[in-house]
Amino acid sequence: MSNAVETGNAAQRGADMEPVQLGIGLSAVIVSVKDKVPFVLTVPQKVPDELSGLPSGPFDPRVHRTFELGLRAFVEEQTALHIGHVEQLYTFGDRDRYSLARVGEPHMVSVGYLALTRQTPESERLLARQGARWRPWYDFFPWEDWRGGQPKMLEEIIHPSMETFSKAPDDDAKTYHELSRKDRYQLAFGVGSLKWDEERVLDRYELLYGSGLMREALRDKQPTALERSTLPDLGEGLAHDHRRILATALSRLRAKLKYRPVVFELMPPEFTLTDLQQTVEAISGRHIHKQNFRRLVETGQLVEQTGRTSTATGGRPAALYRFRRDILKERPAPGLRVSLL
């Protein structure tokens, strides 16, 4: 009986609606850190007047044997870079996620990937020829950088707006596991007795988008809880939903710092402990107590001295270290569980 009903419903839906065509897109968040600044690689879009975006392209099974091979092909074509290890982030399939989609075009489902690399003079020349650019990721998420204390825009813009948003009619609570807008706001932004959690980058972005504070929401003509004639300056936008994909990558990377030694993929073969600390701070967006950090790194046996020193800062020679790869065989989760201040 139930099968017949389901078949009948499916037949009715087929009579009332045109079949939806789906396409698969592949997007890469490529991250590097240089001079205490975390960067993400962006490329120009083919559509005139569109914002820059992440390296991306449509998966074609006739050309690409796997998603990853397709992704690598797009990255090389658009940036001339050969990336190393990549990991899959998430599959993004929300309706209207491609803001410039035309009638009759397939609905694009995008598979996001994260890659870590280091900037070199040669890579800079390759990128320049392709029109690709390294952009500081805090240009897109300025409220996420707490290294100099709480960003002013939180108190001046975000918190007042989100307080108003949390009091608006809340018809979507069940979508978020019964949490109200107020609960989600307080949890994401560390309000009241809660603390700021640097890993909740995506939660914060999605709340700002849903409230109408993000320029992408205005561009996408999404219904929002806050009516505004002008938008506050809350960072630069990216093409399509690429800022959401980037937020997902930042959440993942900040979390992985604590249980995997991913930070060393961003470091040169030899580095000082100050270099390492500043790289961790750049990614996490938080200041770290110097002595606690050094004690944790050394007692955790994540690094070993090379016997050489660096005088790059002009002060006292600093010992050079390298990642101790044997730790991968000794412990299942050798991350940096540092205390963030």
Side-chain angles (χ1 to χ4, degrees):
M1 180 64 177
S2 61
N3 288 341
V5 171
E6 291 173 0
T7 302
N9 290 341
Q12 182 63 41
R13 288 195 300 270
D16 295 340
M17 303 174 64
E18 291 292 328
V20 177
Q21 293 184 338
L22 293 178
I24 299 175
L26 306 170
S27 301
V29 177
I30 305 174
V31 174
S32 70
V33 177
K34 182 179 181 181
D35 298 330
K36 298 185 285 186
V37 179
F39 291 90
V40 62
L41 193 57
T42 64
V43 297
Q45 301 296 289
K46 296 179 180 179
V47 179
D49 301 324
E50 175 63 298
L51 296 169
S52 61
L54 303 172
S56 59
F59 173 73
D60 187 342
R62 297 167 299 182
V63 179
H64 311 127
R65 185 168 58 85
T66 67
F67 284 179
E68 185 175 321
L69 289 175
L71 179 83
R72 292 180 182 278
F74 290 129
V75 170
E76 185 173 349
E77 174 187 338
Q78 296 168 21
T79 70
L81 290 182
H82 298 279
I83 54 177
H85 172 74
V86 298
E87 68 172 86
Q88 191 175 127
L89 283 171
Y90 193 74
T91 299
F92 304 85
D94 293 0
R95 187 173 59 194
D96 302 326
R97 59 174 299 274
Y98 262 57
S99 57
L100 298 179
R102 298 176 176 84
V103 175
E105 290 186 340
H107 174 69
M108 295 299 295
V109 174
S110 184
V111 182
Y113 287 82
L114 171 65
L116 307 181
T117 189
R118 293 193 294 270
Q119 298 182 39
T120 65
E122 177 59 24
S123 69
E124 292 288 344
R125 289 190 288 270
L126 293 173
L127 295 177
R129 288 202 293 266
Q130 300 297 109
R133 294 176 56 196
W134 286 112
R135 301 286 304 282
W137 80 32
Y138 291 125
D139 284 1
F140 307 105
F141 305 98
W143 60 89
E144 293 289 341
D145 189 359
W146 285 58
R147 288 175 293 176
Q150 178 177 278
K152 290 183 178 180
M153 66 173 55
L154 280 166
E155 288 299 326
E156 295 175 355
I157 302 173
I158 293 177
H159 284 310
S161 297
M162 294 306 298
E163 288 284 356
T164 302
F165 172 67
S166 66
K167 296 174 183 177
D170 192 359
D171 298 327
D172 56 352
K174 289 185 179 180
T175 304
Y176 295 88
H177 307 290
E178 307 297 336
L179 289 179
S180 67
R181 281 180 177 164
K182 182 177 181 180
D183 290 336
R184 286 155 45 213
Y185 158 54
Q186 293 182 338
L187 186 62
F189 287 90
V191 177
S193 61
L194 300 172
K195 292 184 178 181
W196 177 274
D197 184 346
E198 68 278 359
E199 296 178 29
R200 293 187 176 274
V201 185
L202 179 61
D203 294 342
R204 289 187 280 271
Y205 173 77
E206 290 190 329
L207 279 170
L208 292 171
Y209 179 96
S211 70
L213 291 175
M214 293 286 92
R215 64 181 63 188
E216 287 92 335
L218 180 63
R219 176 200 64 192
D220 299 344
K221 300 179 181 178
Q222 295 295 309
T224 57
L226 300 178
E227 297 297 331
R228 287 180 170 273
S229 56
T230 59
L231 287 176
D233 182 11
L234 293 181
E236 298 184 28
L238 286 170
H240 307 308
D241 62 347
H242 288 188
R243 189 150 51 149
R244 182 187 179 198
I245 297 175
L246 178 56
T248 306
L250 303 194
S251 293
R252 172 76 63 84
L253 184 53
R254 285 179 168 184
K256 288 196 71 172
L257 281 180
K258 300 172 184 177
Y259 64 89
R260 297 298 300 167
V262 293
V263 66
F264 297 104
E265 296 182 36
L266 298 165
M267 304 299 299
E270 297 184 356
F271 47 83
T272 66
L273 291 184
T274 297
D275 294 333
L276 182 61
Q277 177 176 339
Q278 290 173 346
T279 299
V280 173
E281 290 176 332
I283 296 170
S284 65
R286 303 296 294 272
H287 175 65
I288 305 171
H289 189 277
K290 180 177 179 180
Q291 295 305 320
N292 288 348
F293 177 82
R294 297 198 171 204
R295 188 180 306 112
L296 179 69
V297 171
E298 292 176 341
T299 59
Q301 299 182 322
L302 294 170
V303 300
E304 59 188 5
Q305 291 197 34
T306 65
R308 290 181 287 276
T309 59
S310 171
T311 57
T313 61
R316 293 175 54 189
L320 286 170
Y321 292 77
R322 58 175 168 249
F323 174 51
R324 195 175 71 85
R325 297 194 174 276
D326 285 346
I327 197 69
L328 297 173
K329 297 181 290 184
E330 298 168 4
R331 291 213 308 269
L336 286 166
R337 299 182 181 275
V338 295
S339 298
L340 302 175
L341 303 181

